[in-house]
Amino acid sequence: MKLQPVQRIEGLTKQEFAERFVKTKTPVILKDFVKGPALDLWNYDYFKEVAGDLMVPVHGSENAHPDMVKSAPIAKMKFGEYLDLIQSQPTESRLFLFNLLIEKPEIRKQLVFNKIADNILTWLPLMFFGGGGSSTRNHFDIDMSHVFLTQFHGEKKVTLFPNKASSLLYKLPYNFHGIGDMRNMDFEKFPALQYADGWEGTIRFGETLFMPAGYWHYIQYLTGGYSVSVRALSSAKDRVTGFSNLVFTRNFDNAMRKILKDKWYNYKVKEAHSRAEKAIQKLERKGSI
């Protein structure tokens, strides 16, 4: 597996960003995407004061349900109690697509974005919280939007792959994640993983990772912390694909899961391995191996 470092940059104009990163679908870490009071005000104590009594669904290991788009919550607790947990110890407990900024709009007003691109959906920010050692499995976002992920506390290590690497990453048919374990990569069980080329970077306080539409991303919480993501509309082609994923592909997969149960998942696993083997053979014919 060849991973090149994600470039860090600041001071880009909208045109420069579009030409160098959006049009080429190249990930980059922006050092000046977010500004405003949030950078100074936000911390665990502040969140506990303004929203500590909110009940939140807590998710566990993302690998617990390999056939599902996302794992089901394993518990509910007060938001303040969850923050105490991730502050005090490593834990795989995460808050997935947490809507704190929707429930507390006064907090959202403290977040100001640099308008470096068109069609950024700043009205729909999402927060992600996780304990040190937790991770999200390797996947790409179903709606095929561009994503700007800003780190506000702690550090995250992100591994990225272009969508064309899907077969090498053992993508499950009709799903948007792979079955190759990125935390403990077993090249004997998943040999195609070693031929997937991508990027790797760590985002820290105030830094924003731009993930182009359709990019695979595997995220590891190096420490407990939290981040905010906003989306940006991508090309018309990507939007059509995203609409199809949301309306047709996902619902078809859910229906087949209910009808065939384990047989459906077993078929998808077999097909993922078959496609990976074919991808390796294609690379061999090209002389890339």
Side-chain angles (χ1 to χ4, degrees), residues 148-182:
F148 294 85
L149 180 68
T150 302
Q151 192 69 13
F152 277 88
H153 185 89
E155 297 185 356
K156 279 181 177 176
K157 181 180 178 182
V158 186
T159 308
L160 302 135
F161 302 94
N163 199 265
K164 65 182 181 181
S166 293
S167 294
L168 295 172
L169 299 171
Y170 295 86
K171 175 187 176 296
L172 289 175
Y174 308 103
N175 284 101
F176 309 95
H177 62 273
I179 53 174
D181 189 346
M182 299 295 292

Side-chain angles (χ1 to χ4, degrees), residues 237-267:
K237 180 181 178 181
D238 284 335
R239 277 182 269 176
V240 170
T241 301
F243 177 81
S244 178
N245 290 341
L246 288 162
V247 176
F248 301 110
T249 306
R250 180 174 61 177
N251 289 325
F252 175 77
D253 183 58
N254 288 338
M256 295 301 289
R257 187 184 296 113
K258 290 179 181 178
I259 295 170
L260 298 179
K261 298 182 171 41
D262 288 345
K263 289 182 180 179
W264 180 241
Y265 176 62
N266 292 337
Y267 155 74

